Structures are given as structure tokens and as C-alpha cells.
Amino acid sequence: MIDAACGAEVLRGAAGVDPPRWAVISGSGLSGIVDAFDVRRTLGYSEVPGFPVATVAGHPGRVSLAKASGVPVWICQGRPHFYEHGDMRPIASFVRALLDAGVTRLLLTNAAGALNPQYRPGDVMVIADHLFLPGLTGHHPLLGPNDPRGERFPALAGAYDLSLRAALSQALGHAGLMVREGTYAMVAGPSYETPAETVLLRRLGADAVGMSTAPEVVVARHAGATVGALSTITNVAGNDEPGDAGHSAVVDVASTAAPRIGAALAAVVWQSGEG
Ligand code: HPA
């Protein structure tokens, strides 16, 4: 985890005397949330060891030092995905670089397909819990020697902080979005689900499905950070346009919601204060 320590040093150097305790990670099509913040300085991910080289449309690969009404926050536009690397370690390095730089509160966003039949594209789901399917089947970011930032067997009940969940729901509602609260299923991707797989995931109790977030939450909770997360519902799972057309539809819906989601996240950071 040398990369994370070096990355943290770069971030700390860029932040100066007032390093952010907050970080926001934007998912597919959501990089526009940065416009809701007062940006002071932006680095490319290639300048920050441990940060990923972005390979996916809708993930620009920039980290901005910003403020939400005076409260400092890192806004990360882009994240590493398991399907890009076939490895969870880049995800652990990315999150740990932020944590080592002083972040204690992480807000994660993603684009997801609806499994719950009541959900519609454009809705936003505050994540209450997750099914980490790659993790359950042996692709887990905490495999191997225990990282000293946390204990060997971290508990994940209550991983999604209750007061952040309430603050997110309230702020997203104020921003004019249809707010849901539910369970996120993380699949490896990169293929979208078959109709039969969506039936399976629904029966398992998931409300939305995507290809990110759960491993970041696990790494952050292992190290004791406070986590809040949301999914922009961009499509009905199992019912997608084929191939890259599907991904650009996902990016289109998410980018339409991005200004309102950005406003809500800025309000949560500002109202919850320095943490
Ligand atoms: N499935 C998996 N990941 C996704 C989807 C989906 O339907 N939509 C956006 N990300």
C-alpha cells in the first residue's frame, strides 16, 4: 500500500493547512456534481499515486480541492472499477490515499439499474445496505494480510451511517429529486444483467444494481471512516439498450441529475460541518 501513502502526501501537499475531512466520489455521468462546489484547485489522477488511470467514458479522472460554504472537501471525478482491473487492490489504494490524507467522511455516488419495480430512471436511491456479490464469492479488497488501518474482521452492520442517510434523503428531496432508500447489489460487470439475473437479484432483496461502491465502502469502514452513498437510477435493469448504447444512456440520465445531486451533496457537507 505504498501508493496510498504517496498519494496521501500529494493530496496533503495540495490541501495545505486545511485538509478536507470530506470526500465525494462521483460515479458514471455524475462528474458535473463538482459544479455545485467552490473549486480551488484540480489535480489529474495521474499526479496522485494510488489514484486510477480512468478508462471509462463518464469518468474524467480529476480530483478537486473544493469548498461547500467554507467546508473543505475533495471531489473525485472517477473511480477504479473491479471490471477494469480484475483486481480489488486499486480500489483499496484509491480509498486509502484519501483516508491517509485526512478524510474521515466519504460520500459515494454511482449510476445503477432499477430492480425495484417502483423505481424510475431519474430517481435517486440513498443506499441503506448492500449485497457485495464479488466480495461474497472471493473478490474482496480485504483479502490477504490485514491492513493495519483496521481490524481483521470488520463488522458491516450499519455501514451506511444513519444520520448521513437522513441528511442525504432530506437534501435530495429539497433539490427536487424523487428519493428512495434501498439495498444496492454490486455485480462485477462489465456485462449488464440478463433478465434471469435481474429476477435473481430482486429475489435476493436488492432494489438497484451497479458495478461499484460496495468495495469502497468496505475499505472505508474497515479503516473506521463514516460513509454515505447514493445511486442515481439510470435505467431498468435487465432491460437495457445493447452494449455501449446502454452505457451512454446511463451517462445521459446521470448527467441530467448531476446538478441537483451536487447541490444536495454540498448541502450535506456544509450542514454536517467538519465532521
Ligand atoms: N446494471 C449494472 N450496472 C449498472 C446498471 C445496470 O442496469 N445501470 C447502471 N449501472
Side-chain angles (χ1 to χ4, degrees):
M1 209 44 66
I2 293 161
D3 273 359
C6 298
E9 222 172 280
V10 171
L11 294 173
R12 276 189 188 279
V17 291
D18 198 12
R21 293 185 181 282
W22 287 90
V24 172
I25 297 174
S26 72
S28 292
L30 291 169
S31 54
I33 61 182
V34 74
D35 297 333
F37 296 83
D38 174 15
V39 172
R40 302 299 168 93
R41 182 163 184 194
T42 299
L43 304 173
Y45 278 9
S46 59
E47 297 173 69
V48 187
F51 272 41
V53 176
T55 67
V56 190
H59 289 272
R62 285 190 297 263
V63 53
S64 295
L65 177 65
K67 295 214 167 179
S69 305
V71 180
V73 52
W74 292 114
I75 310 292
C76 301
Q77 294 171 287
R79 56 153 55 88
H81 297 88
F82 180 59
Y83 62 74
E84 291 174 276
H85 303 279
D87 188 345
M88 290 289 179
R89 281 173 295 189
I91 301 173
S93 298
F94 173 57
V95 171
R96 287 176 181 151
L98 289 165
L99 302 180
D100 289 359
V103 169
T104 57
R105 309 192 128 227
L106 201 54
L107 292 173
L108 297 144
T109 69
N110 62 47
L115 295 166
N116 186 317
Q118 294 183 338
Y119 290 11
R120 300 279 171 270
D123 294 357
V124 177
M125 183 183 85
V126 174
I127 302 180
D129 202 347
H130 72 219
L131 297 174
F132 178 20
L133 293 161
L136 292 176
T137 52
H139 295 287
H140 195 289
L142 303 181
L143 288 181
N146 184 44
D147 181 89
R149 293 170 184 81
E151 59 193 41
R152 175 75 283 190
F153 301 108
L156 288 179
Y160 296 86
D161 183 70
L162 259 185
S163 59
L164 273 183
R165 275 164 56 184
L168 283 168
S169 290
Q170 194 185 37
L172 291 161
H174 276 156
L177 291 154
M178 169 58 89
V179 186
R180 316 288 190 168
E181 194 168 27
T183 297
Y184 175 79
M186 187 231 173
V187 294
S191 53
Y192 288 120
E193 299 67 42
T194 64
E197 286 163 347
T198 63
V199 170
L200 172 79
L201 294 171
R202 228 175 256 133
R203 286 192 185 154
L204 291 176
D207 297 293
V209 55
M211 304 175 194
S212 68
T213 305
E216 289 143 88
V217 171
V218 170
V219 171
R221 289 298 304 142
H222 173 251
T226 303
V227 173
L230 63 85
S231 295
T232 310
I233 303 301
T234 52
N235 59 291
V236 174
N239 197 20
D240 308 294
E241 292 178 60
D244 291 348
H247 182 66
S248 47
V250 163
V251 170
D252 280 354
V253 175
S255 50
T256 303
R260 287 197 248 192
I261 292 177
L265 293 172
V268 168
V269 169
W270 166 62
Q271 283 157 14
S272 311
E274 302 283 341

